[in-house]
């Protein structure tokens, strides 16, 4: 894809030492968009990809791992995560045009998806505008095939890189994955222990100013329709085929329904907001209640989009 790793990654030698930041019992409420939940037993912020590789090489092969970007679409239970959380932010936040193909944008897993849209427009590429409506990072978009406004991540991916528990970096193509609506699955058993660290998107040459205007319009639409003024994790459930989760949830009278500090948004029924005092248990109970009520009253089994990890108190 390109010769050098993003973000000044350096070769690993026997004398290389870790340059990232390791903390213990890190409150995950600081790192998830719901602003609720327990602590991570270990929490590592790598300096760059080479540092992440070195860190993973030093872990026990059985160590539970959780990779986190912006923490959207994620709930860590109140009892915390008994393992290591790897936080991919600025360390994997590089973005650039491919030196060999000006229509390709290479983005690290820690890059917020809206930044890809803006970067593409700045470089007179069109087709990335929809990414302005995705609240997470490139890593999360790759892992769940994030999408909105009629486009999905893997429709525009031509190559990606992953890292495994041994710190080994692999180059992958779309042919290595089975992708569906909000679902990505590796075709080999080895891929179950791999995490995305970089994606290469392909867009189309065009008018960047037109793209910028479209991004502004999409962001305004998102602001008008979603409860962005309160902590939330984006869509709670996937949209059933031919229908919308929000419509179903509202149809059974749950808009505004509350458990503890967790509330079904009055603005968008497929969003759960933290009114200020929600625990992870409140949010999880509300998710379960929404799914059960919709099933009982409509016969539709909603599929949860939010990932829930960790232990209850």
């Amino acid at each position: 894809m390109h010769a050098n790793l993003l973000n000044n990654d350096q070769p690993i030698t026997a004398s290389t030492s870790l340059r990232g930041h390791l903390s213990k019992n890190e409150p995950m409420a600081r790192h998830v968009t719901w602003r609720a939940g327990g602590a991570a037993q270990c929490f590592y912020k790598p300096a760059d990809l080479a540092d992440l590789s070195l860190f993973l090489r030093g872990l026990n092969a059985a160590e539970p791992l959780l990779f986190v970007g912006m923490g959207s679409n994620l709930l860590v239970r109140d009892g915390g995560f008994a393992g290591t959380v790897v936080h991919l932010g600025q360390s994997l936040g590089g973005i650039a045009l491919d030196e060999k193909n000006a229509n390709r944008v290479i983005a690290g897993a820690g890059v917020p998806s809206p930044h890809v849209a803006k970067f593409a427009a700045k470089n007179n590429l069109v087709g990335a505008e929809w990414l302005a409506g995705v609240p997470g990072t490139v890593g999360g978009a790759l892992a769940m095939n994030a999408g909105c406004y009629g486009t999905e991540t893997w429709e525009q991916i031509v190559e990606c890189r992953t890292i495994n528990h041994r710190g080994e970096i692999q180059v992958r193509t779309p042919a290595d994955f089975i992708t569906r609506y909000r679902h990505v699955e590796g075709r080999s058993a080895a891929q179950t222990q791999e995490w995305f660290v970089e994606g290469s998107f392909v867009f189309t040459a065009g008018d960047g100013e037109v793209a910028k205007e479209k991004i502004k319009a999409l962001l305004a639409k998102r602001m008008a329709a979603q409860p962005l003024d309160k902590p939330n994790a984006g869509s709670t459930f996937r949209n059933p085929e031919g229908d919308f989760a929000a419509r179903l949830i509202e149809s059974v009278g749950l808009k505004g329904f509350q458990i503890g500090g967790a509330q079904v948004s009055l603005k968008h029924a497929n969003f759960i907001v933290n009114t200020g005092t929600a625990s992870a248990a409140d949010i999880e109970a509300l998710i379960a209640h929404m799914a059960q009520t919709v099933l009982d009253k409509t016969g539709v089994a909603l599929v949860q989009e939010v990932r829930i990890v960790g232990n209850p108190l």
Side-chain angles (χ1 to χ4, degrees), residues 32 34 36-38 66 72-81 233 236-237 272 279-289 304-312:
V32 300
W34 254 321
L66 175 65
S72 59
N73 208 50
L74 177 67
L75 182 67
V76 179
R77 291 187 174 104
D78 297 309
F81 183 74
T236 307
F237 300 98
I272 292 174
S279 64
D282 291 339
I283 295 169
E284 187 170 6
L286 185 53
I287 291 171
H289 180 76
Q304 187 176 304
E305 188 168 309
V306 175
R307 185 182 180 192
I308 301 176
V309 301
N311 304 309

Side-chain angles (χ1 to χ4, degrees), residues 146-161:
C148 59
Y149 307 122
T151 306
E152 293 180 332
T153 302
W154 281 87
E155 294 173 11
Q156 297 179 318
I157 293 293
V158 290
E159 196 170 82
C160 65
R161 288 196 297 169

Side-chain angles (χ1 to χ4, degrees), residues 67-73 88 107-117 128 130-148 151-157 160 177-185 196-201 203 305:
F67 279 61
V68 175
M70 294 173 67
S72 59
N73 208 50
L88 305 179
V111 176
S113 294
H115 289 192
V116 179
W130 67 275
L131 283 159
V134 176
T137 58
V138 166
L142 287 166
M144 67 172 289
N145 195 21
C148 59
T151 306
E152 293 180 332
T153 302
W154 281 87
E155 294 173 11
Q156 297 179 318
I157 293 293
C160 65
F177 301 92
I178 299 167
T179 59
R180 297 190 296 273
Y181 174 69
R182 304 298 179 269
H183 177 85
V184 179
E185 179 184 347
F196 293 105
V197 294
E198 185 182 276
S200 180
F201 297 80
F203 302 118
E305 188 168 309

